[in-house]
Amino acid sequence: MSSLAGLALHCARFIDGINLHLLAQRLIGRATCRLQEGAFLAHCARIRNALGDSDQIVIGPYSHIRGELMILGHGGRISIGEWCYVGVGTRIWSGASIQIGNRVLISHSVNIFDNLSHPIKASERHEQARQIFSTGHPRMVFLDDRPIKISDDAWIGAGAMVMRGVTIGEGGIVAAGAVVTKDVPAYAIVAGNPATVVRELSPDER
């Protein structure tokens, strides 16, 4: 690679990494996240920390984030290991705990929610919405939060949805568009709605 091409690549990465949303939040004193060595937030990434504790969103070394990470006002924690990728349009929302291991690839437009997002009862949904619109995410709300764990070397395809309480085993693969409502075994491929095991990876594919 020529020195000019190298400079162009460096400049493009620098511009891509200017996240004005993050800078503005930190400038006004809002909680955001903790970035470890080499972690990268693209300009399109969004960190939304309604809980108000930056230590509750941790992005591990050399991980690359282009989607949205959000913890809710009543609780939540997101931890992402090293060398992970979170694609454009992906939303990871936590009210309990979402633990993502190392070398996990999460494609674009994936939804990972460890909660229901809204209460079941209509009057409670309305009250939650009123609070969000007026004062922010409520500190007291029941969303049936259940932790999610995505183990090392997993791959989640575009447009998939991972529901609360799910564990994706080491090396597990979720096909594009799948809706994961149950645990995914290690080194298994799941697809469909609800997602079911299509096949297991052979030893030479692991």
Side-chain angles (χ1 to χ4, degrees):
M1 180 182 295
S2 70
S3 58
L4 185 59
L7 178 61
L9 182 62
H10 178 77
C11 290
R13 181 175 173 83
F14 175 77
I15 293 168
D16 189 30
I18 298 175
N19 191 303
L20 297 178
H21 184 261
L22 182 79
L23 294 174
Q25 289 190 88
R26 288 184 171 174
L27 185 64
I28 62 175
R30 285 186 176 173
T32 55
C33 64
R34 182 153 52 88
L35 295 166
Q36 297 185 338
E37 179 186 0
F40 180 83
L41 282 183
H43 72 281
C44 55
R46 292 292 179 266
I47 304 296
R48 305 190 190 278
N49 191 325
L51 188 62
D53 183 352
S54 294
D55 286 334
Q56 294 302 102
I57 301 178
V58 179
I59 301 170
Y62 309 105
S63 287
H64 190 118
I65 309 300
R66 291 185 171 274
E68 177 182 85
L69 310 180
M70 180 169 73
I71 55 175
L72 304 179
H74 68 282
R77 176 173 174 80
I78 299 171
S79 63
I80 297 175
E82 62 183 24
W83 294 103
C84 295
Y85 178 82
V86 175
V88 174
T90 285
R91 293 180 176 90
I92 301 175
W93 292 2
S94 177
S97 172
I98 298 176
Q99 179 184 348
I100 298 171
N102 301 317
R103 302 173 303 278
V104 173
L105 175 61
I106 301 174
S107 190
H108 59 273
S109 301
V110 172
N111 288 314
I112 302 173
F113 300 159
D114 69 6
N115 58 88
L116 290 174
S117 299
H118 303 288
I120 294 293
K121 191 174 180 180
S123 61
E124 293 176 1
R125 283 200 306 275
H126 176 60
E127 179 57 29
Q128 180 205 28
R130 286 182 58 171
Q131 289 187 48
I132 291 172
F133 298 160
S134 59
T135 59
H137 285 268
R139 297 288 177 172
M140 298 293 293
V141 64
F142 177 71
L143 300 179
D144 199 12
D145 310 277
R146 302 177 195 172
I148 290 173
K149 180 179 179 182
I150 301 175
S151 303
D152 294 350
D153 300 309
W155 173 19
I156 302 177
M161 177 169 282
V162 179
M163 307 299 285
R164 66 195 196 286
V166 163
T167 293
I168 297 176
E170 181 177 1
I173 297 176
V174 176
V179 178
V180 184
T181 60
K182 296 181 180 178
D183 292 351
V184 176
Y187 303 110
I189 302 174
V190 300
N193 180 8
T196 57
V197 175
V198 174
R199 70 178 180 91
E200 294 184 4
L201 297 175
S202 64
D204 63 346
E205 292 177 308
R206 299 180 183 182

